[in-house]
Amino acid sequence: MKVLVATDKPFASVAIDGIRKAVESAGMKLELLEKYTDKKQLLEAVADVDALIIRSDIIDAEVFDAAKKLKIVVRAGAGYDNIDLKAATAHNVCVMNTPGQNANAVAELVFGMMIYQIRNHFNGTSGTELKGKTLGLHAYGNVAKNVARIAKCFGMTIYAFDPFCPKEVIEKDGVIAVESVDKLYEKSQFVSLHIPATAETKKSINYTLLNLMPKNAVLINTARKEVINEEELLQLMEDRKDFKYISDIQPDLEALFIEKYPERILFTPKKMGAQTAEANINAGIAAANQIVGFLKEGIDKFRLN
Ligand code: 3PG
């Protein structure tokens, strides 16, 4: 049995060592395709593999067509909007993710970026502090839970809106559950996005919603760039000189944001939130173990299709 790790954004080598150990000790072979630049390389590499570990790599119908022996794809991470689930099902391929495994890494970067931004990009002028400020969590999944844990230590007041998460789950973490998305944005000087990119959420973070935020608003996006209406956000930043946008995902209109508001934005390259050795180890080895469990014993916990 062959397991391929195909990652445009590679794991730390220590994570690959752990993945290799998990795969080889189950009597399987590990292959690597890292930093590929052309989809053709991916199509060739998947031709004879039984299992695939990926990150944000696009796995569409063409990839499933090319992967004749493929039985399972594990997205080492949370979001799976990069995988065509219908095509996977049509090709009889099981798809899983590894929820929670990289959440702390993303949450820590939220604070790294917030502090860099409110300390004026470390330019030596007086910035501001997080203590005593309000933070809104838009959706309350694994990353948001970790953000809440850390925000409490900073002395922030934390709100969350998540129609899919029971109020009790939110409130037992010391977070105030609000009943509408508008309320969340009205109350929060900082809003951190934790929604997936779906047909419903795409471009849903728009001018009207963001304009509800109080003075000196900071929007933090470690979710997906697709959820932002970028044209409307640019307009809002034109109309509100107090509004800041920081993200670990470069927006499609990045050049315009940089040209117009260099002091009020921060973008890290290639979605860096989950890019720590620890997150790579956690998510990568979980993915390898899930593959071994599925191929050897048919265990399909975390199956998505
Ligand atoms: C996720 O969905 O798990 C995160 O966005 C991390 O994505 P990455 O594996 O491409 O860093």
Side-chain angles (χ1 to χ4, degrees):
M1 293 266 194
K2 273 191 200 170
V3 180
L4 174 70
V5 174
T7 47
D8 157 47
K9 182 174 57 191
F11 289 118
S13 60
V14 61
I16 295 294
D17 293 345
I19 294 169
R20 186 180 300 285
K21 206 171 149 204
V23 168
E24 290 181 352
S25 62
M28 299 177 194
K29 192 168 176 277
L30 185 76
E31 292 188 351
L32 286 183
L33 175 70
E34 294 180 315
K35 289 192 194 174
Y36 56 95
T37 47
D38 195 331
K39 190 176 180 187
K40 256 176 73 182
Q41 294 170 273
L42 177 63
L43 295 177
E44 276 166 25
V46 297
D48 66 344
V49 301
D50 301 277
L52 182 58
I53 297 175
I54 51 134
R55 297 184 62 180
S56 291
D57 308 80
I58 307 291
I59 306 300
D60 58 15
E62 200 184 356
V63 177
F64 287 112
D65 283 342
K68 299 280 180 247
K69 293 171 68 184
L70 192 64
K71 295 158 190 71
I72 175 166
V73 177
V74 182
R75 193 282 190 239
Y80 48 90
D81 48 308
N82 51 321
I83 306 171
D84 185 336
L85 290 186
K86 271 197 187 141
T89 306
H91 286 78
N92 206 19
V93 176
C94 169
V95 178
M96 296 183 194
N97 63 352
T98 65
Q101 299 289 353
N102 58 19
N104 181 65
V106 181
E108 287 190 13
L109 191 68
V110 167
F111 290 89
M113 291 194 303
M114 283 202 289
I115 289 174
Y116 183 74
Q117 185 58 54
I118 64 173
R119 292 295 182 105
N120 304 330
H121 292 192
F122 299 161
N123 70 2
T125 63
S126 294
T128 54
E129 301 180 17
L130 294 175
K131 188 177 178 186
K133 306 298 191 308
T134 51
L135 170 67
L137 303 173
H138 191 161
Y140 201 69
N142 289 308
V143 178
K145 280 191 180 74
N146 279 279
V147 172
R149 172 178 54 80
I150 302 167
K152 265 196 272 177
C153 302
F154 275 101
M156 303 185 86
T157 301
I158 313 153
Y159 299 98
F161 171 72
D162 190 334
F164 305 104
C165 182
K167 193 177 167 184
E168 308 76 62
V169 172
I170 295 174
E171 302 216 315
K172 88 168 177 6
D173 290 346
V175 175
I176 303 159
V178 295
E179 67 278 12
S180 76
V181 71
D182 284 6
K183 277 264 162 352
L184 185 81
Y185 283 70
E186 274 165 20
K187 284 178 177 291
S188 309
Q189 181 188 342
F190 295 81
V191 168
S192 188
L193 300 176
H194 300 291
I195 50 177
T198 63
E200 224 176 47
T201 64
K202 280 182 185 162
K203 287 190 182 279
S204 65
I205 309 303
N206 58 23
Y207 188 106
T208 313
L209 186 62
L210 293 171
N211 200 27
L212 296 172
M213 290 174 72
K215 199 162 161 39
N216 297 324
V218 183
L219 176 68
I220 306 115
N221 182 11
T222 55
R224 291 289 181 270
K225 68 175 183 201
E226 289 81 3
V227 303
I228 307 280
N229 185 323
E230 292 184 11
E231 289 81 6
E232 294 194 15
L233 175 56
L234 277 162
Q235 185 58 53
L236 179 75
M237 290 178 77
E238 184 60 35
D239 298 345
R240 278 186 57 173
K241 303 297 182 210
D242 65 310
F243 199 99
K244 300 183 177 76
Y245 176 50
I246 60 182
S247 177
D248 76 332
I249 313 144
Q250 295 149 296
D252 288 335
L253 303 179
E254 183 184 20
L256 273 178
F257 281 98
I258 293 174
E259 183 198 318
K260 287 173 178 260
Y261 319 112
E263 292 92 23
R264 289 192 279 136
I265 50 116
L266 170 63
F267 305 130
T268 63
K270 274 198 174 231
K271 194 134 78 72
M272 290 300 293
Q275 197 63 328
T276 65
E278 292 88 339
N280 291 172
I281 291 168
N282 293 344
I285 296 176
N289 286 334
Q290 286 171 220
I291 284 171
V292 171
F294 179 76
L295 292 178
K296 295 227 150 175
E297 295 170 59
I299 299 168
D300 67 353
K301 191 175 174 196
F302 304 124
R303 188 178 192 133
L304 300 164
N305 64 331

